[in-house]
Structures are given as structure tokens and as C-alpha cells.
Amino acid sequence: MSKFTNRLFEESSPYLLQHAHNPVDWYPWGEEALGRARAENKPILVSIGYAACHWCHVMEKESFEDEATAAIMNEHFINIKIDREERPDLDHIYMDAVQTMTGSGGWPLNVFLTPAGKPFYGGTYFPPKAVYNRPSWTEVLHGVINAYRDKQDAIEAQADNLTQHLVRSNEFGLQSVQELGEDFEAHFTKEKARLLFTNVMKNADREEGGFGQAPKFPQTFTIRFLLHHYFYTKNEDALRQARLSLDKMIQGGIYDQLGGGFARYATDGAWLVPHFEKMLYDNALLVTVLCEAFQLTGDPLYERTIRQTLSFVERELLSPEYGFYSALDADSEGEEGKYYVWDKATVDALLGEESTLFCAFYDVTTEGNWEHKNILNCPVAPAAFAAAQGITLEELWRRMDSCRGKLMQVRNRRIRPLLDDKQLLGWNALMNLAFSQAAGALGSEHYRDVAVRNMAFLLSRFNQADGAFHHTYKEGVARYPAFLDDYSALIQALLQLQEVTSDTGYLHTAKALASRVIDHFSEPETGFFFFTPTGQADIIVRKKEVYDGAVPSGNAVMAINLYSLGIIFDVPAWRERSVRICSLLQQTVSRYPGSFGVWATMIQALIYTIPEIAIIGGDFAMHREDVLRRFLPIHVLQSAPTGPTNQDFPMLVNKPDSSDTAIFLCRDYACQQPVNEVDMLMRQIDNV
């Protein structure tokens, strides 16, 4: 039996449950803790992390499990633990505050608040003893205790000023309507697209792929922008950098060479050493961009990686109800990466004669490539390696897959990393989108079926009686109001699922959800959306997130959604709103496209036109599948056996009845002459 048990014991979040037996008197975020802080006039310590966070585990072990440290925290603070994935709204607010105060952020995030919930000091990881000019955690605690006792008025004033700064930061990067004038679309020029590309490439690593220096994140939004830019312009530099980035990640240690799936990021510039946690959203976003890369290039390496990654997702992250779990931890048995790394002696013993080829291909040596162990990676591209060995690529993969199977049998007997088994609406929607895109790109009925079953789960388990949705679900219980990112991703997934199924019911659901977002999240003055719905009482600021973080900006995704739904249902105000918010942000996007990749991709689409495609009659499903295998940037696609007589879908009505399939390419419902072959459609699109 545990020596200590605190209030987190009754929570469902794996991260909060990890701290349920700390000697710290942790509270979950809520009125009980906040009310006690006000009643006792005590500062609040908010500590934010997530279940797969390595340094969160380190700080827990060093400080939060230490009884002497806990005694200081319990006497002088109201201590609150937050799972950033359950409450991203709170994480956004307090992360912005710490970044403003210190210039950096990360997790664990430790921030001190006044009893009113306003931040006045904070940081990330603090060691148990001062080192590298970083104070110890107990030094930080005593410093805050003394300051709050002796300078409370000054702290209150500082907290008020910081809170006002957070409010003002909502307007960062936005131009005024007066600056833009009446004609929003006049700002979308091909010169702007070239500027976006130029500024993206300023940060490109042309040797190892990706963008910027270590640590390196996948930056799938930027890669996707480059793929689209190549489609529009045939600029080979764009395609080269996109492919280099994907190839280097696939060959690197950031990709699980045995089991499939990507880690969150690489700690080095060459993608060798990952931060070993595997997040649902990263794998969803990478599958999505890999689908587009495969559609564009036909490279079988991309198809292989898509299939392996989705196999990993189904094997390790899919619940019996067809929801997707959130993450796998970086640690097992208290060591980061232990589950994934190998020593050469073990590999030799398992593989026998095949070990020589396997070790050469996957960079396995006696010395190891990381902390005397080996992270499997491919220093030489597979095709080049096969050629150097005098074997075909097919033979290389056949032999390596046989070896991989043997090592997987052994790895599966190791102690596994912790599974974060909560299911988040937005992250599930991103993976739903990935399965739908894979279904189209690879022509897979199985992937389509997974997407359909997962969507049924989301619509039945996360919904509320009034049409609202919850953010998180676990073991039959859904909690917390859904945020903008949840709704925007769900709408996007519904639109994509309609494309691969032709089921118009998904469109009606998407339209209803978009109306809800407009009613409950809108900022009327600008047309943007707040992250939280109206009426939420436990936050000090309603944030308006416009930049892309680990997941796409909910505002950017809503811009795409509103444009698409505005076409599908002929709602001009929605299309105009989409163009308007893109216009208000376009200047900042042009300067910093790496932080606004989804916006950059949408603005580029507006510059080069967004095709509207209707497939009617005859063997429409076969032609739909053919279109889905092709690479098309942002577009609107509907298909049906005949043009329906109701007026719900203007793209489909008033089309001539025929026993043959007719494919229409339209803009603002003005259509070119129909064609009956997808190759002819693609030529029409190229000539627009």
C-alpha cells in the first residue's frame, strides 16, 4: 500500500495518476483548490506536464517524491497538477506567461499564480540542486515564499500587467481591415506565393532535411506547403526539400525501424536520436503528408512507411471501441528509450548469418551509436544500399523484414513504455483524417473502414445532448468542453471522410458543427475564433491561437473548413470569412511561414485557385477512387450516383443525367465541359 495518496487518486488522466501517490498534496484544477487559495491567501503552484514527458518524470522523481521538498510545497502553496493534453487552454495561457517572463518554455511547466489565478513567476524543469546557472527547486520555492510574504502588492501588480499582456498578445500579427481595404483577395498574388517559398527555404537544412537546428521537429505543415508549391509551380527545389525531409526522417532513428511509427522529435540535427515518446498526433500528421508525397511521386518507400505506421497505430493505439489512445511514453523501466535500443551481441545471436547485412543496413555496431547502445537507423538510402550489396531492393526488404520480425518477437517481451490511454477528440480526428487519406491514396478499403468506425465512435461517445462535444474520453466517461482545435479537426475529418465514402451525412454533421463554432467561439470584430467557448469561467484570458503548434492552428483549419463548406452548401458568408481572416494574417504569414504552415498552404491555394470537382452518374465510385489516388492540393470534391433533386448540394444539382460518368471541374459553380476520364480532369486543372 502506498504511503501517500492525494486528490489525484480519483482522476482518470494517466499523467495525474502518476502523481497520485506523491507526498505533495496535489489538487486537480478546480474550484476546491482555487477556493482554498483565495480563502487562505496562498499562492498557487501549477505544475503542467503529460504522461509521455521524460523530464516530467525526472522532476517527479527528484523533487515531488521527496518528502522534505513536499513539506515546503504543502505548507506554503496550493499545489495543482494539470495534464496539458486534458486542459490545453490552461497550458496555452500559462506557457505564454512563462515564455514572456523567461524567453523559453517547455514541460514540465511550473508556474506560480496569485490566488486569483494570475501568473507572476515560473519556469520549466528545476533540478534538486543548483547546476549550470539553474537554481534548485527548493531555492525557487523559498524565493517565491519570501517574495509573496514581503512584496505581495508588487507581485499582484506584476501579475495584473502580465495578464493584460496576454490579452493584448491576441492581436499579434493581425493587420487591420482599414489597412487591407475592401478587396481582400487582391493581396493574394503569385508574388506572395514566391515570397512564402523564399522565406520557408531560408530555414531549410539542405543536407539533413527539415528546418532549423537541433532539436528537430517534423514540421509537417511546412513540408506539405512545399509539396503544394511544387504542384503549382513545378519548382524542383520545393519538391527536393520536401522529399529530403521525409526521406531523412524515414531513414533516421526518429522512425521506429522495427515497429513503425515516429517519435515526437529528434534531439540531434541528423534525426538519429529521438525523444522516444510516440504521440498520436505526430503520426497522424506524418501519415497525412506521406500520403500526399506518395500521390505526387509514387515512391514505394512512402507507401511502405504509411502502411507500417498505420499498422503500429492499429496494433498499439487503437481501443476496442475504435478510439485512438494518445501516446506511448519515452521511458520504460525508468530509462529513456530502453524499449527500443539494441546491443550488437543480442542482434548477432538472434539473426545468425543475416546479422551482418542487418547490422550494416541499420547501423548496428559493437560500440553503439547512442550511449553504448544502438538506435536502428539507415545511414544509406535503401535503394543505394541494395545496389552496393548487389541485390535488388525487393530482396533487401524481404530479408530485412524477416530479421525485423525476429527482433520484434524479442522486443515484445520487454517491459513496455506506459500507454496514455485517454482519447482526445482533436487528436482522434487528425488520425481519422490520416486513415481517410491513406484509404484514398492507397486504395484501401480497410483504412476506409477504420475511419468510418472511428468516426462513429467520436460522434457517439464525445457528443452532448445540446450538440456540443467533449474534449476527452476514457472508460465510458467523456469530460471537459471541446476546444476550437477539437471542432476544427473533427470538421476537417468529416469533410475528408465524405470524399472517400460519398456519404453526405458527414457533410450535414460538419455544417452543424461549423455553425456551432461560429456561434460559440467567434471574435466578431475580426472573424477569428477563440480557443475556448463562451461562458467558460475558470480561465483568466480567452486565448486566440493563430500560429501552428504541435497540432495545426484551429483558426487555420477553420479557414479551410469554412471555405469548403461555403462551396458545398453555397454559404457565401463562410467563404468570405475564410478569405477575410487569411487576409488579416497574410503579412505575418509571409514573414514567418515556418510558424504558420497551414495558413501558408491555404493562402497559396487561394492564390492559385481551389478547384471544385463533382463526379456524377455511371461508375462514379470507380472514378472517385481514381481521383483520390491523384495528388490534388486543397480542393472541394463531391461524388454521387445521380444529381440529387434537392438543393442541399449546389455542386451536384442541375447536372445532366447520363448513364456515363461525368466529371465536372468548376469555380464558383461555373463548370467547364464535363469529361469522363480522370486524366482529362487533371489536364483541365493544370490549365487553370
Side-chain angles (χ1 to χ4, degrees), residues 164-184:
Q164 287 305 308
H165 170 81
L166 296 176
V167 173
R168 292 191 299 272
S169 70
N170 272 343
E171 305 310 314
F172 169 77
L174 302 187
Q175 289 180 271
S176 68
V177 175
Q178 290 75 20
E179 286 181 271
L180 290 170
E182 294 292 327
D183 187 2
F184 293 125

Side-chain angles (χ1 to χ4, degrees), residues 46-49 56 91 94-95 98 105-111 123-125:
V46 166
S47 185
I48 304 176
C56 300
D91 180 61
Y94 296 124
M95 180 64 76
V98 169
W107 298 277
L109 182 70
N110 294 291
V111 58
T124 56
Y125 165 78

